[in-house]
Amino acid sequence: MEEQETQNVIQQIDPYLITPKAFHLEMPLYHALDLSIGMVAEKVFEHIAHSATMDAYCIWCDKESVFDAEEYVYGKTYSTWKREDFGFRRNSYKCTRNNDHKYYMYFFRGKDILLKIGQWPSVADFQIPQAEKYRKIIGEEEYKEFTRGIGLAAHGVGIGSFVYLRRVFENLIEEAHVLAQNETGFDQDKYQKGRMDKKIEMLKNHLPEFLVENKILYSILSKGIHELTENECLQYFETVKIGIEQILDEKIIQKEKADKAIKAREAIQKAHGQIAKPK
Ligand SMILES: [Zn+2]
């Protein structure tokens, strides 16, 4: 299989296997990886034995940094690892800007299973500072719910984390609804009775483009709450979270643009006023 094709298959099997960063830093605790699937086992080995650098956010530097693999270099071959390397393993990475900045992860390996059983700083410690930038755009209450979702997923609570993300999503829709309902021609009755995809269609002028294009995000969230297992929700958590962040990023850009336009307009008016004054 071609490299890209392999990556696509892996992405479908488990998004946390895609990069050393996803595996080490984003995978929630107790998320189970089935080593009886050859491709999964090979990827797990690749990450477990990963002894190179990875780019990641450093919570102490408070910005993106390069992390270098620590500990001993993993000397065993894939087949030896597969056959006999059971039990616990610790991996750690240090920030290349300051070697005291370290991330630790603990894994447990059974015959056909690998679990991440510990991480310090936690997934939430690592992700919440990165969510901070959304605080202003979604407000204090929503920000709390968003980070609670992140925190729950980090501790292996899949379905519960989806509930919080869905609330964030629904609030974005409601915000747009409040704006749209005052417009002439808005059919309130049709809106109330419509399913979420119809609602999004009706509100599309008030919603970030990414949300309108990816309205299936909502059905993934709802399906998660009603039909998916804990482990399936954890498996898709990062994907859904990135979708929501993409929507929020777009809102931030829109707001910055609008704020800049207001300032520019005022400055132009002022300049014009001064120039127009008789000398
Ligand atoms: Zn650092």
Side-chain angles (χ1 to χ4, degrees):
M1 251 191 274
E2 294 286 316
E3 178 70 19
Q4 187 54 43
E5 209 180 316
T6 314
Q7 285 294 87
N8 290 346
V9 175
I10 291 289
Q11 169 77 32
Q12 268 174 12
I13 298 176
D14 199 309
Y16 296 110
L17 286 175
I18 281 289
T19 59
K21 182 185 171 192
F23 180 82
H24 284 99
L25 295 176
E26 289 159 1
M27 186 163 73
L29 293 188
Y30 312 117
H31 175 60
L33 294 162
D34 183 354
L35 304 181
S36 67
I37 305 167
M39 218 179 214
V40 172
E42 279 169 36
K43 265 288 168 193
V44 165
F45 174 74
E46 194 184 306
H47 295 322
I48 283 284
H50 182 257
S51 58
T53 59
M54 66 181 176
D55 294 343
Y57 179 84
C58 176
I59 63 168
W60 294 283
C61 293
D62 200 14
K63 56 184 164 193
E64 285 290 318
S65 186
V66 178
F67 281 80
D68 206 357
E70 255 200 331
E71 305 291 312
Y72 47 95
V73 174
Y74 197 79
K76 291 177 188 165
T77 61
Y78 171 68
S79 53
T80 314
W81 170 77
K82 188 84 183 9
R83 201 171 51 238
E84 60 188 43
D85 205 358
F86 302 110
F88 301 100
R89 178 179 168 82
R90 182 177 90 174
N91 274 10
S92 61
Y93 283 83
K94 57 179 191 286
C95 171
T96 51
R97 222 181 261 129
N98 181 334
N99 287 351
D100 291 335
H101 301 168
K102 287 182 190 177
Y103 286 167
Y104 297 95
M105 310 86 201
Y106 295 84
F107 299 94
F108 174 74
R109 156 86 204 278
K111 184 175 175 294
D112 281 330
I113 193 170
L114 184 113
L115 299 166
K116 179 158 82 181
I117 54 163
Q119 178 172 352
W120 189 85
S122 74
V123 180
D125 290 339
F126 160 81
Q127 290 191 329
I128 288 172
Q130 298 178 80
E132 173 72 31
K133 64 178 174 192
Y134 302 120
R135 198 177 199 146
K136 271 206 188 94
I137 203 91
I138 56 179
E140 206 53 37
E141 273 311 297
E142 278 315 291
Y143 173 74
K144 265 189 214 150
E145 296 189 342
F146 187 50
T147 51
R148 204 163 287 152
I150 294 172
L152 283 178
H155 290 91
V157 183
I159 300 169
S161 69
F162 266 46
V163 173
Y164 282 108
L165 291 194
R166 192 171 77 161
R167 283 176 63 96
V168 173
F169 190 99
E170 283 169 346
N171 274 296
L172 289 169
I173 302 297
E174 186 46 33
E175 226 173 74
H177 175 222
V178 169
L179 292 175
Q181 66 187 357
N182 298 323
E183 287 174 350
T184 43
F186 187 81
D187 189 342
Q188 187 66 11
D189 199 42
K190 186 176 159 201
Y191 180 83
Q192 294 298 355
K193 286 179 188 148
R195 287 163 44 110
M196 186 53 93
D197 53 341
K198 286 279 169 304
K199 288 184 174 163
I200 291 172
E201 204 49 49
M202 287 177 75
L203 299 174
K204 69 174 178 218
N205 294 335
H206 298 279
L207 287 170
E209 216 171 289
F210 187 87
L211 190 157
V212 179
E213 281 166 12
N214 294 278
K215 45 180 179 282
I216 45 164
L217 198 54
Y218 187 77
S219 50
I220 300 174
L221 282 167
S222 294
K223 202 176 164 118
I225 293 165
H226 300 295
E227 291 169 43
L228 301 183
T229 63
E230 278 288 297
N231 207 36
E232 282 170 324
C233 284
L234 289 179
Q235 181 170 335
Y236 299 121
F237 180 80
E238 192 62 23
T239 305
V240 175
K241 183 179 82 86
I242 289 171
I244 288 183
E245 286 178 350
Q246 196 70 37
I247 295 166
L248 299 178
D249 286 338
E250 207 179 312
K251 274 183 89 92
I252 291 176
I253 292 167
Q254 280 170 355
K255 190 175 179 302
E256 280 171 356
K257 236 176 127 180
D259 290 350
K260 204 170 173 183
I262 291 170
K263 277 202 191 115
R265 206 173 298 132
E266 283 170 3
I268 291 166
Q269 291 297 337
K270 202 173 158 197
H272 180 252
Q274 282 166 351
I275 291 166
K277 259 186 222 155
K279 293 235 165 91

